[in-house]
Amino acid sequence: MSVRRLLTASACFAALTFGAGLSHAQDYDVSFDNAVHHEARITVTYREVGSAPVRFQMSRSSPGRYAVHEFAKNIYSVSAVDGRGRPLTIDRTDPYGWTVPGHDGTVSLSYTLFADRSDGTYSQIDASHAHLNMPATLAWATGFDDRPVVVRFKPFSPDWIVATQLQPQAEPNTFAAPNLQYLMDSPTELSAHMVREWTVDDAGVPRTIRIAMHHAGTDAEMDTFTERARRIVDQQIAVFGDVPDYDFGTYSFIADYLPWVNGDGMEHRNSTIINDTRSLKDANFDQLGTLSHEFFHSWNVERIRPEELEPFDFTRANPTPSLWFAEGFTSYYGPLTIRRAGVANTDAFLGEMGGQLDFVQNAAGRRFGSPQEMSLRAPFVDAATSIDPTNPNIFVSYYPYGAVIGFGLDLTLRQRFPGVTLDDLMRAMWRTHGVPERPYAPADIEAALAEVTGDPAFARNWFARTIEGSDLPDFGPLLAQAGVLIQPVRPTAAWAGAVRLPAMGAPVIAAALAPGTPLYAAGLDRGDQIVAVGDKAIAGQTDWTAALAAAKPGDEVSIRFLQRGVERSAMLRFAPDPSFTLVRVEAGGGLVTPAQLAFREAWLGAATE
């Protein structure tokens, strides 16, 4: 959120801390008496609101999400009273809110919230915890966004403690926010969770990093997780050379690792939600991948912020053409800083990036749009649902797409501009847009690239080809600098497309086929049933696998299939399997040079193999 809005609220925070100035605050009281049935009872009170009708509403979007979410659907049993406790009439003319006329200048709206999904977007309430994403939890009155906020929680269980980026107050379980923007950006967990803290140095100023973890694991597992998290945090601070000035001095990882939650990660200004259905032990601490991604966001997107997201509009989708940078480059630095921290080795990093490169380079969607276009499609794909099917071949997720772009740009900079890396670009964006919190436009990224390379022509050409267009660099020579090979997974195997047939039942193609694949070229589509390949009947995946094994790239064979009740036939020409992986030269039996090893270490950190 904008530093300008926070600074204007600093006086309000000081007043709230000392118990004065409450008359103009919006107050929330949140209780969980019926937590076992996933309900909270919430009352919000506004004072000195004048005489006009007050419009309350629920958000339709949430920070970190780019699609519309109808949070009002879980609100019911709504009532209102005035400052003397007298019942008020509520007008309901649309599904998103409630209008209260005829009050005395004070309005208290009470309602019941049903919540049973624990992730970065929704809320979950049960006897074990209350996991609250504020846009899915708190109604608010329009026209009073800049008022300070006080939130009082009444825990369901006496062992529940509160984890949040909201400012603690003197009264137990009471917290404050300077305004609506900060309130809605402040997820909160109430549970009997474990806490670990440490400080990092910010040019002589200590900043606290906190992990609040609700899980069924051991203290020793929590300690192992924390030690590895500290190393990742240190590596990300090293990328930027600076620690964000976290409001109230603390950044909180709020983690739920339980079988009844939903896996997710969601960034916020001074905190993040990280969820997983697996325990630390069962996942072998794989949750650190989400932690790494989300913490990088405390620079990239929370402070280095696209101008379209500032301020955030809770009434609609918030699209931006820059998600390839905000989310995609973050998806590159997540595994990169895990590798630099020594939490994972080079092979694990290459496996992660090789999978993303394979996916993006072979994705049909790149022919339909640039990374900017894919970013603008976010409202249609970011956890959004619809009844009618969407062509999956016209979209490439800006997460791996942007990660591959960052991957390629980092290697290109290291090749063409000695001493320059992608870290330099991130630091330039931090200096000009993060520290002053000046939202950026796409042209600002190009300007930063021109600055760090000293070559505006390179920056313009790269931006035109890669961001406004959909070109990818030739990764072979770029990776060769580090002694890394692009290796086909099945170099001699026949391939007809990425398709699997059911092991049981009719051999029906379940998903859309990609343009350019042999089955697509032969005229098959989702829902078609393959009857025979050549003279071999196909009854399921086993027969299909056998047909592929009997062929080689370039072979042509007849294929019969049922398409919406009509049996058809065509010629199917097998192609080479395009999938590939990234491997170290020496892992494949080759010789790696000292220069390649030096490049690799400068890029990824000291070897751990």
Side-chain angles (χ1 to χ4, degrees), residues 532-536 556-560 569-574:
V533 173
D535 59 358
K536 301 295 185 182
E556 197 168 31
V557 66
S558 64
I559 183 169
R560 289 190 294 122
S569 63
M571 296 306 294
L572 175 67
R573 185 179 182 85
F574 292 106

Side-chain angles (χ1 to χ4, degrees), residues 363-411:
R366 282 200 302 121
R367 72 183 68 185
F368 295 104
S370 68
Q372 292 189 137
E373 169 63 23
M374 299 308 166
S375 297
L376 289 172
R377 293 192 67 81
F380 309 133
V381 298
D382 186 26
T385 59
S386 57
I387 296 174
D388 62 315
T390 301
N391 186 344
N393 294 315
I394 64 172
F395 177 70
V396 182
S397 171
Y398 39 82
Y399 287 91
Y401 202 167
V404 165
I405 290 169
F407 185 27
L409 180 58
D410 196 5
L411 293 172

Side-chain angles (χ1 to χ4, degrees), residues 289-367:
T290 306
L291 177 144
S292 183
H293 178 100
E294 302 304 336
F295 187 61
F296 200 82
H297 273 317
S298 67
W299 290 270
N300 190 27
V301 90
E302 288 301 329
R303 289 166 176 84
I304 306 173
R305 193 160 176 80
E307 62 183 6
E308 298 84 4
L309 303 183
E310 182 62 34
F312 197 84
D313 188 340
F314 299 102
T315 67
R316 61 171 181 85
N318 288 250
T320 170
S322 299
L323 292 182
W324 60 269
F325 181 81
E327 292 289 358
F329 277 35
T330 299
S331 295
Y332 171 60
Y333 273 102
L336 178 62
T337 51
I338 288 175
R339 169 63 196 88
R340 289 177 176 174
V343 174
N345 62 22
T346 297
D347 289 339
F349 171 75
L350 293 177
E352 172 83 14
M353 294 311 303
Q356 296 197 61
L357 178 58
D358 180 27
F359 169 75
V360 173
Q361 192 154 293
N362 290 313
R366 282 200 302 121
R367 72 183 68 185

Side-chain angles (χ1 to χ4, degrees), residues 513-527:
L513 299 167
T517 61
L519 283 169
Y520 186 99
L524 283 81
D525 202 1
R526 180 179 62 87

Side-chain angles (χ1 to χ4, degrees), residues 413-477:
L413 292 174
R414 292 170 186 271
Q415 181 187 65
R416 292 190 52 170
F417 303 95
V420 178
T421 75
L422 195 66
D423 294 1
D424 295 299
L425 176 64
M426 301 311 297
R427 291 188 194 108
M429 289 295 291
W430 176 244
R431 288 192 304 269
T432 58
H433 297 279
V435 175
E437 298 204 39
R438 180 171 64 86
Y440 69 85
D444 294 316
I445 306 173
E446 180 183 333
L449 183 58
E451 174 196 333
V452 299
T453 60
D455 191 340
F458 166 80
R460 175 82 297 264
N461 181 260
W462 180 83
F463 216 89
R465 289 186 299 101
T466 308
I467 306 306
E468 297 163 353
S470 55
D471 288 354
L472 292 178
D474 182 354
F475 274 89

